[in-house]
């Protein structure tokens, strides 16, 4: 399968695969629960972490680089006063490891203060930014979050909160799951396609909105429900509850399938589906569609674990072995900026247990192939450890196109499946056989229609209007007439 395209249309600003949280409590400091929630969302971003709180009079802010544990000291948390707070963890994007992109993004204006945490990526940032610049807005970053902040601030000068948010949402095109604090009012906003997850929870003394339910669990809270696509949820300042406003109503959603496949924590529930069970079901379908008889089934830790468990259960008579041991102190291989560093990192990270593979046929299971680095290295590793044959089974379809919706995947020229069909990738990674899961099986395991998912990185057809790309639906692009 070839896209025939050598380069991608320009993406604007940094892409944002991130974690967001917003907390509103009655008479209790919000900073500590916000901090713990960010810990629970650490997998969604390791470049920077930040919290902005509000004490009813003013904002307090701390943003630091690195992991949550590195970005904050106890003293930092102590200075973040107030019972309202928003937090953010940001994913590293090559070339933009830089504090100016760290969030929450804050702005003060005549109608108060705003703090925004954004997960996702707008695709009409340039048009929106130049419209706002014409009106005299000056920008300090190339990011889309600042553009949302300015647009919202402008609308808040003219109307009440709900109308202002609606007017801004009508001008945004793309992916956004936001936690926003206007003075000490905390709210959650999810784009009309519901591209990224956002969920509401009840915790002791108040309410929380977070990217994933695992954050609510971590705070010992109860999940209330997901923020609906196109919805604004405003948390009560006294911690008592929330108001919800369905501001935009799309005909179809475009939930990111990759959240289920890779990004979200397996213990999170997104739009009613437990991610772990979805992954096990994907594994079961992988056996049904592309099962191969071997002596042993082995997951790539940790990404392939739930898949391998579902696959092996369906296969019945095959042994399951954790044959690759992980060095948990090595970070995600993906964050290494150069290919050479990435290759070394796989060896640093994983080591085979010889007795589980020696003279045996092995099925290696993972969620996805992006550049092909992980699979190629692991096939080599297993052969070196004496495997008789290595078959690779992947729980997602081939990734053939970039993500414009906020996942730092890779460009087309780096994606191994952009120019190679399954046979080509099989030989590039040196496997005895390779098979992927079909898009239909992915939709069915998630429990939805393919037409309600964003699978742009698989099909090359996006649910948004992106210059230089094709779309899979009738998209109405916002008219920026104001
Ligand atoms: P690659 O080695 O480039 O083929 O990447 C595939 C491996 O990275 C798989 O083990 C995935 O679990 C993981 N992966 C896939 N997408 C991403 C991403 N956007 N960020 C970090 N890791 C990823």
């Amino acid at each position: 399968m070839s896209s025939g395209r050598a380069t991608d249309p320009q993406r604007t600003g940094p892409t944002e695969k991130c974690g967001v949280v917003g907390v509103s409590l009655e008479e209790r400091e919000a900073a500590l629960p916000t901090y713990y929630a960010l810990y629970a969302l650490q997998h969604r971003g390791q470049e920077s972490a930040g919290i902005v709180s509000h004490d009813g009079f003013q904002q307090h802010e701390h943003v630091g680089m690195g992991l949550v544990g590195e970005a904050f000291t106890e003293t930092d948390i102590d200075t973040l006063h107030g019972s309202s707070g928003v937090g953010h963890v940001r994913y590293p994007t090559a070339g933009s490891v830089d504090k100016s992109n760290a969030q929450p993004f804050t702005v003060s204006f005549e109608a108060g203060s705003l703090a925004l945490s954004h997960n996702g990526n707008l695709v009409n940032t340039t048009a929106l930014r130049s419209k706002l610049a014409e009106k005299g807005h000056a920008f300090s970053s190339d990011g889309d979050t600042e553009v949302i902040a300015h647009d919202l601030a402008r609308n808040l000068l003219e109307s009440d909160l709900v109308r202002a948010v609606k007017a801004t949402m009508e001008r945004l095109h793309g992916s956004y799951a936001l936690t926003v604090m206007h003075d000490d009012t905390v709210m959650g906003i999810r784009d009309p396609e519901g591209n990224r997850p956002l969920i509401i929870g009840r915790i002791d003394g108040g309410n929380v909105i977070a990217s994933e339910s695992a954050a609510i669990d971590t705070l010992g809270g109860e999940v209330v429900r997901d923020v609906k696509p196109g919805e604004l949820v405003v948390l009560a300042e006294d911690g008592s509850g929330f108001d919800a406003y369905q501001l935009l109503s799309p005909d179809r959603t475009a939930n990111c399938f990759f959240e289920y496949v890779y990004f979200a924590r397996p213990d999170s529930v997104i739009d009613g589906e437990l991610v772990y069970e979805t992954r096990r079901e994907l594994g079961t379908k992988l056996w049904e569609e592309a099962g191969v008889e071997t002596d042993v089934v082995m997951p790539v830790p940790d990404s392939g674990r739930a898949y391998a468990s579902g696959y092996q259960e369906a296969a019945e008579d095959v042994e399951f072995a954790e044959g690759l041991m992980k060095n948990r102190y090595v970070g995600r291989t993906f964050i290494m900026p150069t290919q050479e560093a990435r290759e070394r990192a796989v060896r640093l990270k994983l080591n085979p247990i010889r007795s589980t593979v020696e003279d045996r046929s092995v099925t290696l299971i993972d969620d996805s192939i992006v550049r092909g680095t992980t699979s190629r290295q692991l096939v080599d590793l297993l052969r070196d450890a004496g495997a008789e044959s290595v078959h690779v089974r992947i729980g997602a379809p081939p990734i053939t196109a970039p993500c414009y919706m906020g996942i730092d995947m890779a460009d087309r020229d780096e994606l191994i499946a952009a120019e190679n069909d399954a046979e080509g990738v099989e030989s590039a990674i040196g496997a005895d056989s390779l098979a992927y899961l079909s898009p239909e099986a992915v939709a069915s395991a998630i429990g939805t229609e393919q037409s309600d998912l964003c699978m742009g990185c698989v099909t090359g057809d996006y649910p948004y209007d992106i210059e230089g790309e094709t779309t899979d639906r009738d998209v109405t692009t916002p008219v920026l007439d104001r």
Side-chain angles (χ1 to χ4, degrees):
M1 203 188 301
S2 165
S3 69
R5 190 200 300 275
T7 55
D8 302 317
Q10 194 62 41
R11 269 170 284 181
T12 51
T15 57
E16 307 280 1
K17 178 186 90 65
C18 303
V20 302
V21 60
V23 174
S24 187
L25 298 176
E26 185 194 8
E27 290 174 16
R28 271 184 41 210
E29 300 282 270
L32 201 57
T34 308
Y35 171 74
Y36 289 138
L38 291 183
Y39 256 110
L41 299 174
Q42 185 76 83
H43 61 290
R44 299 186 70 88
Q46 303 93 42
E47 183 187 276
S48 66
I51 295 176
V52 177
S53 66
H54 200 288
D55 61 10
F57 298 100
Q58 60 172 327
Q59 282 186 347
H60 304 273
E61 174 177 0
H62 181 82
V63 176
M65 299 305 283
L67 300 174
V68 178
E70 298 162 345
F72 292 92
T73 62
E74 221 178 305
T75 324
D76 296 329
I77 301 291
D78 286 345
T79 58
L80 294 167
H81 298 299
S83 56
S84 305
V86 287
H88 189 263
V89 282
R90 182 167 188 276
Y91 190 73
T93 315
S96 64
V97 182
D98 166 3
K99 211 169 171 179
S100 73
N101 288 316
Q103 294 193 18
F105 188 88
T106 55
V107 54
S108 290
F109 61 115
E110 288 121 274
S113 63
L114 278 174
L116 280 88
S117 295
H118 177 199
N119 175 210
N121 200 48
L122 298 188
V123 294
N124 70 338
T125 308
T126 310
L128 208 49
R129 190 193 287 111
S130 55
K131 249 325 186 231
L132 287 162
E134 277 172 27
K135 308 275 175 208
H137 289 258
F139 294 93
S140 61
S141 78
D142 60 350
D144 50 357
T145 311
E146 185 176 12
V147 174
I148 304 175
H150 279 251
D151 201 76
L152 186 56
R154 199 177 135 68
N155 290 327
L156 280 166
L157 289 174
E158 289 169 11
S159 51
D160 63 40
L161 181 69
V162 176
R163 267 180 243 251
V165 171
K166 182 163 196 260
T168 292
M169 287 173 84
E170 280 167 349
R171 285 156 64 80
L172 305 181
H173 189 48
S175 165
Y176 52 96
L178 298 161
T179 52
V180 180
M181 192 166 60
H182 176 222
D183 293 335
D184 58 352
T185 303
V186 175
M187 57 196 140
I189 303 167
R190 193 172 180 199
D191 69 63
E193 286 78 23
N195 186 250
R196 300 272 149 237
L198 198 63
I199 193 158
I200 314 163
R202 174 93 200 137
I203 57 172
D204 190 21
N207 294 287
V208 54
I209 298 172
S211 292
E212 290 185 34
S213 64
I216 300 167
D217 299 338
T218 299
L219 299 177
E222 299 264 318
V223 167
V224 177
R225 65 168 175 84
D226 294 274
V227 177
K228 292 180 196 147
E231 194 176 48
L232 160 69
V233 169
V234 184
L235 301 186
E237 283 127 55
D238 63 1
S240 58
F242 62 86
D243 292 316
Y245 307 87
Q246 189 66 52
L247 299 183
L248 299 180
S249 304
D251 308 332
R252 282 161 64 176
T253 57
N255 305 129
C256 168
F257 86 100
F258 214 63
E259 289 279 349
Y260 294 94
V261 162
Y262 174 76
F263 280 127
R265 279 172 55 150
D267 51 336
S268 281
V269 178
I270 302 179
D271 291 323
E273 301 289 325
L274 176 64
V275 173
Y276 178 74
E277 281 309 331
T278 304
R279 287 183 192 162
R280 272 178 43 84
E281 180 66 19
L282 288 164
T284 302
K285 291 193 181 297
L286 191 55
W287 167 258
E288 289 164 5
E289 278 192 355
V292 50
E293 301 278 353
T294 58
D295 296 325
V296 63
V297 171
M298 195 173 285
V300 174
D302 300 307
S303 48
R305 206 166 261 150
Y307 293 84
S309 138
Y311 181 99
Q312 186 258 353
E313 198 176 284
E316 286 175 9
D317 285 337
V318 189
E319 181 189 323
F320 178 94
E322 296 267 5
L324 291 163
M325 276 306 110
K326 188 168 175 174
N327 178 342
R328 71 179 65 188
Y329 302 102
V330 181
R332 289 188 172 187
T333 53
F334 216 81
I335 69 177
M336 310 284 171
T338 66
Q339 184 63 14
E340 194 201 335
R342 246 179 242 122
E343 305 219 349
R344 197 173 337 107
V346 175
R347 292 250 176 188
L348 269 174
K349 201 158 106 172
L350 294 166
N351 198 32
I353 296 174
R354 222 183 159 85
S355 63
T356 59
V357 293
E358 201 158 27
D359 301 323
R360 307 182 82 193
S361 57
V362 179
T363 305
L364 182 68
I365 309 235
D366 204 0
D367 64 308
S368 60
I369 293 180
V370 180
R371 296 175 170 86
T373 317
T374 308
S375 312
R376 183 159 40 79
Q377 293 263 315
L378 292 183
V379 169
D380 266 10
L381 219 58
L382 294 173
R383 286 203 201 284
D384 286 353
E388 180 193 280
S389 59
V390 184
H391 302 264
V392 176
R393 293 294 178 270
I394 299 293
I399 307 292
T400 63
C403 176
Y404 297 89
M405 268 77 254
I407 285 173
D408 185 25
M409 199 82 94
D411 294 328
R412 262 194 185 85
D413 54 1
E414 299 166 311
L415 292 168
I416 193 168
E419 295 295 334
N420 294 288
D421 59 13
E423 233 168 74
V425 177
E426 179 183 295
S427 82
I429 65 173
D432 289 275
S433 79
L434 164 70
Y436 298 93
L437 194 62
S438 69
E440 296 74 27
V442 169
S444 135
I446 295 173
T448 188
E449 300 292 324
Q450 210 187 312
S451 57
D452 277 321
L453 292 173
C454 177
M455 294 190 105
C457 62
V458 168
T459 60
D461 285 329
Y462 297 85
Y464 303 95
D465 185 11
I466 301 163
E467 205 184 325
E469 297 285 6
T470 53
T471 179
D472 67 356
R473 57 189 70 187
D474 288 334
V475 179
T476 319
T477 319
V479 183
L480 305 177
D481 53 356
R482 286 187 304 111

